[in-house]
Amino acid sequence: MGKSVPKHVAIMMDGNGRWGKQRGLTRSEGHYAGAKTMEKIIDASIDLGVEVLTLYAFSSENWSRPMEEVNYLMHLPVKFFKQKLPEFQRRNIVVRISGNLEALPTRTKTALKNAVNETADNTGLIVNFAFNYGGRDDILQAVRHIVKELQDEKMDLTQLNEQVLQQCLYTKELPDPELVIRTGGEKRMSNFLLWQSSSAELYFTDVFFPDFDGPLLEKAVRFYQEKNSELIV
Ligand code: IPE
Ligand code: IPE
Ligand code: MG
């Protein structure tokens, strides 16, 4: 692209259910179409030179959806990684997960952990799946960790600063996202990367996630570049 591309792009993949409904399909069929779109967005991110792509796949609030839909969303990572992991390996992709894995059904947790372990030595695009992720939960679990360190006298209160807290978040080794995209027309944070997005550019599009694609991602990146033109070299 020539101009400076955001290192970390985070996407709230919203609108799968409405996309399905619009076509007379089920919400789950919308989620399946969304998973197919994820593949395209991963390809486009590699082409653009993005280093980290965070995909919001399941929020800590999504448990309140109908059981059948939750079951399908728990099954999707199992199906997705079974199909895609060999290709991820070939493409040198690193899989990360941000979220509370312990609360997941065993099969889902195993599929996610396995994808992380199998790709740990790769060096290409980092695809960080935010799964059972909530921004408040993220901060709260970091606070719990810090309080424990203080109680165990492994840390002194004077040492506690933003960087220390940042290192306790689910996203610990990742840079903050410079660009946060939400598809599907809503303009909400929905508990996504609350700490990490403090200076991110926000980009909203009405397009439902299954219809999102490489050129639309590029358009969002151009929006970011226009906002940050002084950074362009
Ligand atoms: C995808 O879109 C987000 C997930 C929770 C997987 P939605 O399922 O929220 O779709 P809409 O917003 O109801 O259309
Ligand atoms: C945000 O979408 C969560 C994901 C994209 C996974 P939601 O559809 O769940 O958010 P709300 O309910 O509109 O806030
Ligand atoms: Mg939604």
Side-chain angles (χ1 to χ4, degrees), residues 101-117:
L101 286 188
E102 295 318 310
L104 298 177
T106 311
R107 267 161 46 88
T108 313
K109 185 167 57 181
T110 306
L112 292 171
K113 284 192 171 172
N114 180 52
V116 171
N117 293 338

Side-chain angles (χ1 to χ4, degrees), residues 13-19 27 31 57-58 62 65 69 73:
M13 308 185 287
D14 196 25
N16 291 347
R18 281 166 287 161
W19 182 92
R27 293 184 58 83
H31 294 310
F58 191 88
N62 287 152
R65 294 195 175 196
E69 186 176 351
L73 289 168

Side-chain angles (χ1 to χ4, degrees), residues 78-116:
V78 179
K79 192 178 160 99
F80 182 82
F81 285 118
K82 198 169 165 197
Q83 271 181 20
K84 299 302 288 183
L85 208 50
E87 189 187 320
F88 273 28
Q89 295 292 27
R90 269 200 309 279
R91 306 199 70 188
N92 198 22
I93 291 170
V94 182
V95 176
R96 293 279 179 81
I97 311 293
S98 294
N100 178 3
L101 286 188
E102 295 318 310
L104 298 177
T106 311
R107 267 161 46 88
T108 313
K109 185 167 57 181
T110 306
L112 292 171
K113 284 192 171 172
N114 180 52
V116 171

Side-chain angles (χ1 to χ4, degrees), residues 12-14 56-59 62 65 182 186 188 190:
M12 307 168 78
M13 308 185 287
D14 196 25
Y56 201 9
F58 191 88
S59 80
N62 287 152
R65 294 195 175 196
R182 181 170 187 149
E186 305 295 346
R188 287 195 280 277
S190 298

